[in-house]
Amino acid sequence: MWELINKNKSKTFLFIFLMALCFGLMAYCLAETLKIFNVSPIWVYIVVYGYYFGTLIVASRDSKNVFLKLSNARFALRAYYPKLFNIVQEMSIASGLSTMPDIYIIDEDSPNAFACGKDHKTASIVVTKGLLARLNRDELQAVVAHEISHIVNRDILYLLYTSCLLGCMVFISDFAIQTVKGYFKESKPKRTFSRSKCNSSSGGIIYIMIFAAISVVLVALSKMFYFCLSRKREYLADACAVQYTRNPMALANALRKIDAEQSYFVNTNPLTSAMFIVSPLNNKEKTHPPIEKRIQILLRLSSCNIAAYNNSYQKVLGKKSSIVSKKIIDKPSYSKVIPIVATTLANQTVQDEISNHREAYDTMLKMENYSFIKCDCDTKLKVPKELKGQKIPCPHCKKIHLIK
């Protein structure tokens, strides 16, 4: 697996290099533009690159906490979420992580998940309460495996570098555009001014307008590289998740459920949306591969190895390119046949039958005026009407509930 990560760095660094090239070109154009206003290019480079590296240093030190605060995530306790902790521990062992990631919960009904942290020692996995409520154990395990693969493949670190780079470019471009807008707003009411002032200001604003147009093009190119990088890493994360769980059907079902019940997150933006397993915004086709294609690839798998996934990827998308280097795919360790879990469909049928029986039983209890309480540990308490007004503890986490 570590050999796979090292070989796959070349494609990732290519996208990062192209984005850095666009950033350098933007800095050069800005320096040439500000020469008109007698600003030394050296100072322009110092400010622009200083702003980028300053942003990168701050983001590297506290990126995890920033993402957690933006998402309103809270730390999860093992006593409240034993099943989730067991799954994360299982997938950490399967992936070879030396440290189990921290677990956080977002109080959102929309099912989703993401990973954050610059390395495996500081990494965290964040899931919504909607995800825990809607997915069964196999599906939840597949989602956790997908997020852990992002940690193993260092996707979070690459996303951090490119997000800071793209964010700086957007800031510079927006500043130039607002400068042009501000000039025209101020010049409209003024009808009388000297010809020399008119010529000097008009000449300067023309150069700024040209720079603004160039910056828009460069930002668009950088966004294209950013989204291409994000989509490529999503396919690789799916492939690794299948290898960890040996259950492609579970990941396919999880993606289908998440996509069907996805809703807008209040604290997400186009840059951070790339971190989620399914984008919470309406830009799924940009930051993420199409869900239908991802599911088709998973359903066509005959084995749970990287080579089988790559073969299915090429057939579904009709592409000759690979998600990883062909030299890697041809190696015996990545082309060895890994059987798919044979009992997946049977287990799913049994789980559906159990779920139907529970729903029927719950309906009967509701008719008898039972109270239903959902505890923080995901335990559903079914309390008879005789206990209303009393306090009872949860049998799992011991939290006290007042029966209303």
Side-chain angles (χ1 to χ4, degrees), residues 274-293:
M275 298 176 61
F276 290 86
I277 187 170
V278 174
S279 176
L281 302 181
N282 293 324
N283 62 341
K284 297 174 185 178
E285 300 298 322
K286 294 181 180 179
T287 59
H288 290 66
I291 292 293
E292 297 79 11
K293 299 295 183 183

Side-chain angles (χ1 to χ4, degrees), residues 8 88 226 254 297 346:
N8 201 44
V88 174
Y226 177 82
I297 293 171

Side-chain angles (χ1 to χ4, degrees), residues 260-273:
E261 302 187 40
Q262 196 54 232
S263 61
Y264 177 75
F265 272 45
V266 177
N267 295 316
T268 52
N269 58 66
L271 295 183
T272 58
S273 66

Side-chain angles (χ1 to χ4, degrees), residues 1-2 5 87-101 120 125 144-153 240-241 243-245:
M1 183 58 67
W2 301 111
I5 295 167
I87 290 173
V88 174
Q89 190 172 30
E90 290 169 5
M91 292 299 98
S92 298
I93 295 171
S95 64
L97 279 181
S98 58
T99 306
M100 177 178 162
H120 67 278
I125 290 178
V144 170
H146 176 97
E147 297 306 328
I148 283 184
S149 67
H150 279 308
I151 298 171
V152 173
N153 297 333
C240 293
Q243 191 169 2
Y244 299 155
T245 62

Side-chain angles (χ1 to χ4, degrees), residues 288-306:
H288 290 66
I291 292 293
E292 297 79 11
K293 299 295 183 183
R294 293 171 69 181
I295 294 174
Q296 286 178 31
I297 293 171
L298 293 167
L299 295 180
R300 289 177 64 99
L301 290 179
S302 58
S303 177
C304 298
N305 55 40
I306 300 297

Side-chain angles (χ1 to χ4, degrees), residues 22-124:
C22 291
F23 181 74
L25 186 58
M26 178 179 279
Y28 172 77
C29 293
L30 180 62
E32 292 299 312
T33 301
L34 293 182
K35 275 185 180 179
I36 307 299
F37 302 96
N38 296 323
V39 178
S40 174
I42 296 176
W43 285 110
V44 175
Y45 292 131
I46 290 175
V47 171
V48 170
Y49 283 97
Y51 176 71
Y52 167 67
F53 285 111
T55 304
L56 185 61
I57 291 171
V58 173
S60 298
R61 287 183 176 178
D62 207 31
S63 61
K64 172 182 170 179
N65 293 330
V66 169
F67 285 124
L68 293 175
K69 288 179 182 178
L70 284 174
S71 304
N72 293 324
R74 55 182 175 83
F75 187 75
L77 298 176
R78 180 182 283 272
Y80 288 177
Y81 303 97
K83 181 175 73 173
L84 180 59
F85 268 80
N86 289 339
I87 290 173
V88 174
Q89 190 172 30
E90 290 169 5
M91 292 299 98
S92 298
I93 295 171
S95 64
L97 279 181
S98 58
T99 306
M100 177 178 162
D102 293 331
I103 303 173
Y104 287 82
I105 304 293
I106 302 176
D107 294 318
E108 284 274 358
D109 291 332
S110 178
N112 221 320
F114 70 90
C116 61
K118 63 179 182 179
D119 53 44
H120 67 278
K121 294 180 180 179
T122 60
S124 298

